[in-house]
Amino acid sequence: MRLLLPENGRRWCRIALVLVLYMTVYEVVAEDPYRYFDWRISYGDIYPLGVRQQGILINGQFPGPDIYSVTNDNLIINVHNDLPEPFLITWNGLQQRKNSFEDGVYGTTCPIPPGKNFTYIMQVKDQIGSFFYFPSLQFHKAAGGFGGIRILSRPRIPVPFPEPAGDFTILIGDWYKTDHKVLKIILDRGKMLKFPDGIQINGLGRDGAKFTVEQGKTYRLRISNVGLQNSLNFRIQGHQMKLIEVEGTHTIQTTLSSLDVHVGQSYSVLVTADQPAQDYYIAVSSRFTTQTLNSTAILHYSNSKKPASGPLPLGPPTSISWSLNQARSIRTNLTASGPRPNPQGSYHYGQINVTRTIRLANHAGLVDKKQRYAVNGVSFIPADTPLKLADYYNINGVFKIGSIPDKPAGQKIHLDTAVMGADYRAFVEIVFENRENIAQSWHLDGYSFFVVGMDEGRWSPASKKQYNLIDAVSRCTTQVYPRSWTAIYVPLDNVGMWNLRTQFWARQYLGQQLYLRVYTPVQSFRDEYPIPKNALYCGRAKGRAIRTL
């Protein structure tokens, strides 16, 4: 092809420049590997507490398969829905940079219809660490469909500990023997659920899960609480644990005899098999509950000569103060590299001016004689169209920005599709105020945030004096203790529609959530990707034009 013609040379130069730029961008993208997954979602028999139940299987597995990846990998996950009802998976902790369309909650993504499939196309951009996925609709989480996600560092970026001999995913959570459809009916009728029946560990009950180690070697355990409501404590008979990572952040390495893991949270610890060759109990028990749930798994030495025996390792004191002190001790390792080859502490969040303080208080009450849960007086009700699609196509009447206030607004609850507006690149403080006698967990999709402070009692501006503005841990889910508060700092650098929710799943289902619309008036692919070519359309977005480029 001759690019320079006398009569329109400038035009051809521009075309050539565009082609070169396009090819350059394409080559940069192509450097990041692609990992392909093909999943079939179906019902099948499971026995987590020794009773047959109808569970959600992924490729016949319960729990589902682990996702293995490396920083910046592109994940192509084709999900076939063989259930008789709509289905969605959300990716707890994956930030979906510039791409909230793939978040997998109803506010962003149309459900996968029965008998159909949808391919999630995601990149684990600038992330490392331990996370998990789970189904987000229809109270499906109470039936399974969850699994672990691990994002390894790129080979040229050092990690602050020796390579372990093995890497185990451990999914713990409270569990009901009651079918998830029955639980959903109870909630739909405006009733509260009873206390869970037990604890599952990797889909199994007492002594069911087994983790085999070789004497003298060190192993990484990735522990996630995938349960429905209760904080859990994790410990191993005769062994110490070294905390190394929390939801993508390398931590100061502290030695622990037990670890509180709140609902929706993920931790990594190192455990050395340095005891005599036998089997040992792994104990998991509920925290801050009137009755205590317990379960066990087995740490099995490959040369074991004796089964696990003796008393279970004792749990920590029941006081909030013990757990609160442990949480405050979890700090970022400022000298360790994160997903990029620079120290995690190079981002000086404590020196940035906060542009806005948002206070969010959770509470419970009745609306039309039915149980509801709320944030700042608003109990969320889903719209007839995913909010992100309505926003993208400017469909009026689906939601209203500002339908939830920035501060607590009394105890009277009303129903609304709660959407809070926020400016792109703002730096905000969010204070979670828990005025009830339960432990709470809060999660924000699309982000990691700095947990700068937490304490018992009421928050006030004077509470800022105790904030950690140097090495607070960065994570995506934080606990809020009973009658307590937790404060986080969030740099809003990810445009999109993001779910902010309680991880207490019955409360989330009955309204304790909202969406944060992080907005910029400048429409640019630099700030947000266009809607995926394979996007599903539902509600009032049906029939909208699908992009061709």
Side-chain angles (χ1 to χ4, degrees):
M1 179 186 298
R2 294 174 59 194
L3 295 181
L4 295 179
L5 299 179
E7 63 274 16
N8 56 2
R10 290 182 180 178
R11 172 173 171 267
W12 279 107
C13 283
R14 287 196 296 269
I15 292 173
L17 179 60
V18 169
L19 288 171
V20 169
L21 289 173
Y22 176 82
M23 293 172 66
T24 302
V25 171
Y26 180 81
E27 289 172 3
V28 170
V29 172
E31 288 180 358
D32 297 319
Y34 283 75
R35 296 180 186 265
Y36 296 88
F37 305 83
D38 196 65
W39 288 357
R40 299 209 78 94
I41 312 299
S42 63
Y43 281 130
D45 290 340
I46 59 174
Y47 301 82
L49 299 183
V51 177
R52 186 175 71 175
Q53 294 178 253
Q54 185 185 63
I56 294 177
L57 313 180
I58 301 179
N59 291 349
Q61 299 180 44
F62 169 72
D66 272 6
I67 293 177
Y68 298 85
S69 60
V70 176
T71 301
N72 292 345
D73 278 358
N74 296 283
L75 306 182
I76 313 298
I77 306 175
N78 188 16
V79 178
H80 305 263
N81 180 18
D82 292 340
L83 303 182
E85 64 260 10
F87 184 79
L88 270 181
I89 292 179
T90 191
W91 318 90
N92 203 76
L94 299 195
Q95 294 179 13
Q96 310 289 0
R97 301 295 302 177
K98 306 191 294 184
N99 198 19
S100 62
F101 295 105
E102 304 283 1
D103 201 29
V105 291
Y106 184 66
T108 63
T109 314
C110 289
I112 307 171
K116 302 294 183 180
N117 73 296
F118 174 70
T119 301
Y120 290 89
I121 303 172
M122 309 177 290
Q123 185 182 29
V124 288
K125 179 67 175 172
D126 290 336
Q127 286 194 264
I128 58 171
S130 309
F131 309 96
F132 65 94
Y133 62 85
F134 67 92
S136 61
L137 297 180
Q138 308 261 2
F139 219 65
H140 283 149
K141 191 182 182 188
F146 46 72
I149 302 172
R150 60 183 69 174
I151 309 174
L152 303 179
S153 296
R154 288 175 288 175
R156 66 175 178 268
I157 299 180
V159 295
F161 49 86
E163 181 72 20
D167 198 326
F168 296 106
T169 293
I170 303 181
L171 306 175
I172 60 178
D174 49 12
W175 192 266
Y176 288 94
K177 295 178 182 178
T178 305
D179 186 272
H180 74 284
K181 295 178 182 177
V182 176
L183 298 175
K184 178 179 177 296
I185 290 172
I186 294 171
L187 293 172
D188 289 340
R189 290 175 176 172
K191 306 297 183 181
M192 293 184 3
L193 299 181
K194 65 181 181 67
F195 194 69
D197 297 304
I199 294 173
Q200 62 80 25
I201 304 174
N202 279 8
L204 299 169
R206 188 175 297 273
D207 295 349
K210 181 184 290 186
F211 305 92
T212 300
V213 297
E214 293 186 29
Q215 194 172 28
K217 294 185 177 181
T218 298
Y219 296 83
R220 181 174 185 167
L221 311 183
R222 299 174 187 262
I223 309 159
S224 295
N225 186 338
V226 299
L228 297 171
Q229 67 182 62
N230 288 307
S231 302
L232 301 175
N233 182 265
F234 182 95
R235 52 202 183 273
I236 305 175
Q237 184 183 34
H239 294 73
Q240 297 290 303
M241 301 177 289
K242 182 180 288 186
L243 181 66
I244 57 169
E245 177 254 332
V246 174
E247 293 160 20
T249 299
H250 293 305
T251 62
I252 293 176
Q253 296 178 16
T254 54
T255 300
L256 309 170
S257 58
S258 70
L259 175 66
D260 276 355
V261 186
H262 305 275
V263 186
Q265 292 186 338
S266 298
Y267 291 85
S268 281
V269 298
L270 295 179
V271 175
T272 300
D274 56 4
Q275 298 300 306
Q278 66 175 67
D279 291 355
Y280 296 88
Y281 286 118
I282 296 173
V284 179
S285 57
S286 61
R287 297 281 279 149
F288 318 118
T289 53
T290 54
Q291 53 183 301
T292 302
L293 299 174
N294 293 283
S295 192
T296 52
I298 301 297
L299 185 71
H300 170 68
Y301 279 45
S302 60
N303 59 341
S304 173
K305 304 182 186 307
K306 182 181 176 182
S309 62
L312 297 178
L314 293 176
T318 57
S319 64
I320 293 172
S321 59
W322 184 93
S323 185
L324 181 60
N325 288 334
Q326 182 180 82
R328 287 170 171 162
S329 73
I330 300 173
R331 304 291 184 94
T332 296
N333 183 343
L334 298 181
T335 62
S337 291
R340 294 183 178 183
N342 61 287
Q344 294 178 141
S346 61
Y347 184 81
H348 300 291
Y349 68 92
Q351 299 177 16
I352 302 174
N353 291 328
V354 171
T355 56
R356 179 181 177 188
T357 295
I358 300 168
R359 294 169 49 208
L360 301 175
N362 55 269
H363 53 276
L366 299 178
V367 177
D368 296 331
K369 299 182 180 180
K370 291 186 176 183
Q371 183 66 49
R372 296 293 301 185
Y373 300 97
V375 185
N376 288 0
V378 183
S379 184
F380 184 89
I381 51 173
D384 61 6
T385 304
L387 309 181
K388 183 59 188 173
L389 292 186
D391 201 23
Y392 188 82
Y393 288 111
N394 296 315
I395 302 172
N396 294 324
V398 175
F399 69 90
K400 183 175 66 174
I401 299 170
S403 47
I404 180 170
D406 277 20
K407 298 179 181 179
Q411 293 297 311
K412 188 175 180 180
I413 295 175
H414 71 276
L415 307 180
D416 205 342
T417 303
V419 177
M420 182 177 290
D423 294 331
Y424 178 46
R425 292 180 176 163
F427 191 77
V428 303
E429 172 188 33
I430 300 177
V431 182
F432 299 104
E433 301 182 14
N434 183 10
R435 301 173 184 178
E436 301 179 77
N437 290 318
I438 60 166
Q440 272 277 25
S441 290
W442 287 93
H443 174 87
L444 176 59
D445 282 349
Y447 288 93
S448 285
F449 47 72
F450 298 95
V451 184
V452 294
M454 57 176 63
D455 204 352
E456 297 181 73
R458 290 289 186 99
W459 180 89
S460 72
S463 303
K464 296 173 183 282
K465 295 178 182 178
Q466 61 176 279
Y467 283 5
N468 175 4
L469 300 182
I470 299 173
D471 60 355
V473 71
S474 177
R475 64 187 316 166
C476 60
T477 304
T478 187
Q479 71 272 32
V480 192
Y481 293 100
R483 301 287 177 181
S484 302
W485 58 268
T486 296
I488 65 174
Y489 279 178
V490 192
L492 296 180
D493 58 356
N494 196 10
V495 174
M497 186 76 70
W498 304 109
N499 191 216
L500 177 57
R501 60 176 177 267
T502 177
Q503 298 280 48
F504 192 133
W505 211 241
R507 285 174 167 252
Q508 179 273 347
Y509 184 81
L510 291 181
Q512 210 156 80
Q513 60 174 308
L514 60 104
Y515 281 82
L516 192 66
R517 179 184 183 254
V518 180
Y519 175 75
T520 175
V522 179
Q523 294 186 349
S524 169
F525 293 171
R526 179 196 62 187
D527 299 331
E528 185 176 29
Y529 296 139
I531 190 168
K533 291 179 67 174
N534 68 330
L536 299 174
Y537 289 82
C538 56
R540 284 186 256 177
K542 280 185 177 179
R544 295 285 169 165
I546 300 176
R547 70 183 183 91
T548 57
L549 293 177

